[in-house]
Amino acid sequence: MPRTSMTIPSNIAAFWDAFSADVGQRDCSERFFEAFHFDDNEASADELADLVLAGVKRATAGLLWSFESACGGAPPKPGALSVVTYWDGRPVCVIETLEVEVVPFEKVSAEFAALEGEGDGSLAYWRRVHWAYFGRECARLGREPSLTMPVACERFKVIYRANA
């Protein structure tokens, strides 16, 4: 189940209400996991959100340690709903988690890298940019990056778009 302590942030409340009305449910909040932007910089965050909208990016990866540091949380479970935003917090879409597999960094597959839809879609590209990103994330968490660091590989689908 998604974290029960998560509430709908005020900056996406109207968007969430429109989504709930569109799917015919007054309250989908029990499935709400988080509202987030990708990456740790504006240009990349906005580009990745656009890749989701274009149907190119259908997966994302995060350090298990990052989920654990956020109030002892865990990655989303299948059925969880999250709001992807641009860097500035504007909601882009609602995604539904289909599957999450936790694997060591070095065991992330070429298939998963292609589903992430970033760069040229290759595993080599995925490893290069995620090693850099996870290195920055590890520094924030006081951890050391390693080939065996646990990565939560999430597959998702877009179920609602802004201005749909």
Side-chain angles (χ1 to χ4, degrees):
M1 290 299 302
R3 288 182 234 156
T4 56
S5 62
M6 296 301 290
T7 57
I8 309 302
S10 60
N11 67 308
I12 65 153
F15 177 80
W16 187 262
D17 290 345
F19 156 69
S20 296
D22 188 67
V23 298
Q25 296 181 14
R26 290 202 180 273
D27 187 12
C28 298
S29 61
E30 72 280 354
R31 292 176 57 198
F32 179 76
F33 183 74
E34 67 180 336
F36 73 98
H37 59 75
F38 294 104
D39 215 333
D40 57 2
N41 67 82
E42 183 174 1
S44 180
D46 292 353
E47 177 185 341
L48 295 174
D50 287 339
L51 288 175
V52 170
L53 288 176
V56 174
K57 182 171 181 59
R58 296 170 289 141
T60 191
L63 283 178
L64 184 61
W65 299 331
S66 297
F67 289 108
E68 292 171 346
S69 75
C71 304
K77 304 283 186 217
L81 303 175
S82 296
V83 175
V84 175
T85 70
Y86 286 120
W87 180 262
D88 65 8
R90 284 179 295 132
V92 172
C93 62
V94 176
I95 59 172
E96 180 179 8
T97 301
L98 301 175
E99 176 185 45
V100 177
E101 181 182 17
V102 178
V103 298
F105 178 87
E106 66 188 346
K107 299 291 185 186
V108 172
S109 70
E111 174 197 10
F112 184 81
L115 285 173
E116 277 225 50
E118 299 175 22
D120 65 6
S122 71
L123 182 57
Y125 179 90
W126 186 95
R127 285 183 174 158
R128 186 174 71 254
V129 300
H130 284 79
W131 183 262
Y133 173 75
F134 291 155
R136 295 188 303 272
E137 190 68 9
C138 282
R140 284 190 285 275
L141 296 170
R143 307 286 299 245
E144 287 294 321
S146 75
L147 293 176
T148 59
M149 59 188 160
V151 176
C153 298
E154 176 188 0
R155 290 173 169 82
F156 60 80
K157 67 178 178 180
V158 174
I159 61 169
Y160 182 78
R161 297 167 182 271
N163 304 317

